[in-house]
Amino acid sequence: MFPVVVVHGGAGHIPKERSENSTSGVRSATRAGYTILQRGGSSMDAVVEAVTQLENNPSFNAGCGSVLNIKGEVEMDAIVMDGKTLGSGAVSAVRNIANPIQLARLVMDKTGHACLTAEGANQFARSMGVPEVPLESLITDYSRMRWKKNLAPDANPVECQMGKMGTVGAVAVDSEGNVACATSTGGMLNKMEGRVGDTPCIGCGGYADNQVGAVSTTGHGEAIMKVILARLILFHMEQGQSVEAASDLALAYMKSRVGGLGGVVTVDPQGQWAARFSSLQMAWAAAQKDTLHYGLYTGEHFTQSIDDPL
């Protein structure tokens, strides 16, 4: 068994001028997570570090690059899950927090609950000494431009959303065979205030179980929730399917049954991994055996040494 971390930067259509930033962002985050695994760190530490890096990168729809809701504000969702204990923590519709994924981990580690929402999540953050950041620090010019564009009466936010479905996530297996997942998002472009998608819902935005594997998802949240995508993939794996086949089967089912597009990163406890998507693109990267793998389009698979410059 070789430790591995696999990261996605969101499924959808990434404009050409932004695709390079997406690809380099997931590679950099993957390297950061893998460094933790190389030092004997846990899969949970690795996925949280990888996702934190993506939240801090304005190219992704999470943390400081989050899309805006209908009021022009940022509400974020995140989840973590530990495959050893089935412990999980999530936050939804949280505001003014730079790294919701770290807050989700605190929910798992420091409370008896699985999910905290909105003001309750913010109160918990304050009690844990997590600093609040001004709303403006989470809003990019790009997000504001797209928000304004989608206020037009003839706009189609779902279609336009595919331009930045940059939900971010990671899965990992550590040297002890423990699996973990982490997923974080700013949600859907011009969503109603208080809308919560698949990301913080256990079994939808992510799931991790040492007996089967771990998954982090991205795509159209409402579609993902209808098919419980992350857990559906693990169900196929329990039936004997490989990580790749199970991922493809579940994505195909979501497309045929509810017309939803998306993408996933999946691992099993033996260190087999996959990055699969039904959308046009998904920025992804994986690190295992000192090799960095990455791609953006279907069928694309590049490799380089983990130590080579990005």
Side-chain angles (χ1 to χ4, degrees):
M1 204 288 300
F2 295 95
V4 61
V5 59
V6 196
V7 172
H8 70 75
H13 169 65
I14 302 154
K16 195 153 181 60
E17 67 276 8
R18 298 181 69 80
S19 61
E20 206 167 293
N21 289 345
S22 297
T23 307
S24 64
V26 291
R27 285 153 72 195
S28 174
T30 299
R31 184 184 272 175
Y34 188 65
T35 299
I36 288 172
L37 296 179
Q38 282 178 309
R39 292 176 183 157
S42 71
S43 52
M44 178 58 68
D45 285 346
V47 293
V48 170
E49 177 58 32
V51 170
T52 295
Q53 293 231 351
L54 296 173
E55 287 177 337
N56 293 341
N57 183 330
S59 297
F60 299 97
N61 175 15
C64 71
S66 292
V67 297
L68 310 187
N69 67 14
I70 196 74
K71 290 173 69 177
E73 297 167 347
V74 171
E75 292 179 304
M76 299 164 289
D77 307 326
I79 191 169
V80 296
M81 188 163 180
D82 178 350
K84 188 176 185 180
T85 61
L86 299 190
S88 73
V91 291
S92 62
V94 71
R95 295 166 180 257
N96 302 93
I97 299 288
N99 296 113
I101 202 68
Q102 295 183 11
L103 188 57
R105 185 171 187 177
L106 286 170
V107 172
M108 178 178 73
D109 289 344
K110 305 291 186 188
T111 79
H113 300 317
C115 185
L116 293 177
T117 294
E119 181 50 35
N122 282 97
Q123 284 175 14
F124 172 65
R126 287 191 283 274
S127 76
M128 290 283 109
V130 176
E132 295 209 338
V133 298
L135 172 63
E136 290 303 314
S137 71
L138 300 173
I139 299 179
T140 62
D141 291 341
Y142 184 67
S143 293
R144 200 185 295 283
M145 175 274 289
R146 296 179 74 244
W147 169 69
K148 283 185 177 153
K149 203 168 150 185
N150 277 280
L151 290 176
D154 58 345
N156 180 348
V158 173
E159 195 176 296
C160 189
Q161 173 72 7
M162 292 312 282
K164 192 165 187 207
M165 224 174 231
T167 293
V168 304
V171 290
V173 191
D174 61 29
S175 55
E176 298 189 354
N178 294 317
V179 301
C181 70
T183 312
S184 180
T185 188
M188 184 176 236
L189 193 63
N190 292 43
K191 62 188 177 181
M192 290 171 68
E193 188 174 10
R195 178 265 189 187
V196 174
D198 66 291
T199 296
C201 301
I202 193 168
C204 300
Y207 202 86
D209 181 350
N210 276 9
Q211 293 178 6
V212 198
V215 180
S216 171
T217 69
T218 170
H220 185 221
E222 282 71 10
I224 290 171
M225 291 161 93
K226 288 171 186 171
V227 302
I228 318 169
L229 184 60
R231 192 63 189 79
L232 180 59
I233 290 170
L234 295 177
F235 164 77
H236 285 305
M237 287 165 63
E238 286 170 323
Q239 305 302 305
Q241 297 287 348
S242 68
V243 286
E244 195 165 287
S247 301
D248 287 347
L249 277 167
L251 285 166
Y253 176 73
M254 183 169 80
K255 189 176 178 181
S256 65
R257 187 73 177 83
V258 295
L261 299 177
V264 299
V265 288
T266 308
V267 290
D268 72 13
Q270 286 72 49
Q272 303 289 321
W273 61 272
R276 310 295 290 173
F277 49 99
S278 54
S279 54
L280 186 64
Q281 294 157 295
M282 182 179 81
W284 65 271
Q288 189 177 46
K289 296 189 230 175
D290 295 334
T291 302
L292 186 65
H293 307 255
Y294 62 97
L296 179 65
Y297 291 93
T298 305
E300 212 170 62
H301 189 147
F302 301 110
T303 56
Q304 66 175 84
S305 163
I306 199 79
D307 301 317
D308 288 349
L310 292 178

